[in-house]
Amino acid sequence: MSTFSYNGTELELDLLDAVWMEKYEKANDALVSRAQEAAGKEDLKAYESMRTQCSIINDFFDNLFGRGTAEKLFGNNENVKIRFDAYDLINQMVTDATKELNEIARRYKKPAPKNREQRRAEAKKR
């Protein structure tokens, strides 16, 4: 079991569990969709863009861990950097879990069957 820890808050997050990975992927898909939609709005002031980014990341954390999580993690401020830092930590955990999953799969993957030419070459070596 893994935990995500940020800003003094610890949350359960087991990215080698399919249920958690599904939650992450759905929350991340929603984030990407909203970010692409927001990127099309070029007439926003800087503060409006920052608030939009904060809202998108807040929703990501609420979708992943449950309603109210963003407030626990970030408080009532609208600081973009702390949100992106937390989001980066989650993505690093996903990268690490993916590497671990690939290593597990590699250990238990059966070698591909040899074709006729490979079998003949191996027999000649004996």
Side-chain angles (χ1 to χ4, degrees):
M1 182 61 59
S2 301
T3 58
F4 170 73
S5 182
Y6 188 78
N7 204 19
T9 302
E10 273 196 20
L11 303 165
E12 179 183 326
L13 177 64
D14 185 358
L15 292 165
L16 292 176
D17 181 314
V19 171
W20 278 105
M21 186 56 84
E22 179 182 19
K23 286 181 184 181
Y24 165 79
E25 288 180 348
K26 286 181 178 181
N28 201 56
D29 288 347
L31 177 141
V32 169
S33 176
R34 285 190 59 204
Q36 288 172 341
E37 182 181 305
K41 298 178 182 178
E42 297 175 8
D43 58 336
L44 294 178
K45 302 272 188 195
Y47 72 89
E48 293 172 321
S49 176
M50 292 168 70
R51 280 191 175 134
T52 299
Q53 291 172 9
C54 286
S55 173
I56 291 169
I57 293 177
N58 285 350
D59 288 347
F60 167 82
F61 280 97
D62 285 347
N63 289 337
L64 181 58
F65 294 109
R67 198 172 249 315
T69 302
E71 189 174 338
K72 286 180 194 174
L73 291 172
F74 311 122
N76 291 324
N77 69 59
E78 294 184 51
N79 185 307
V80 175
K81 183 181 179 341
I82 65 172
R83 283 165 177 79
F84 275 104
D85 288 347
Y87 180 68
D88 287 344
L89 284 174
I90 292 278
N91 285 322
Q92 184 59 52
M93 289 179 74
V94 170
T95 299
D96 294 345
T98 301
K99 286 178 184 176
E100 188 172 352
L101 183 60
N102 288 339
E103 177 59 27
I104 291 167
R106 187 193 62 73
R107 279 195 316 242
Y108 294 102
K109 182 179 177 184
K110 292 181 181 179
K114 296 177 182 176
N115 64 30
R116 182 182 298 176
E117 184 179 326
Q118 291 169 326
R119 289 190 308 264
R120 286 181 180 169
E122 199 172 274
K124 286 182 182 179
K125 289 180 185 177
R126 294 181 195 165

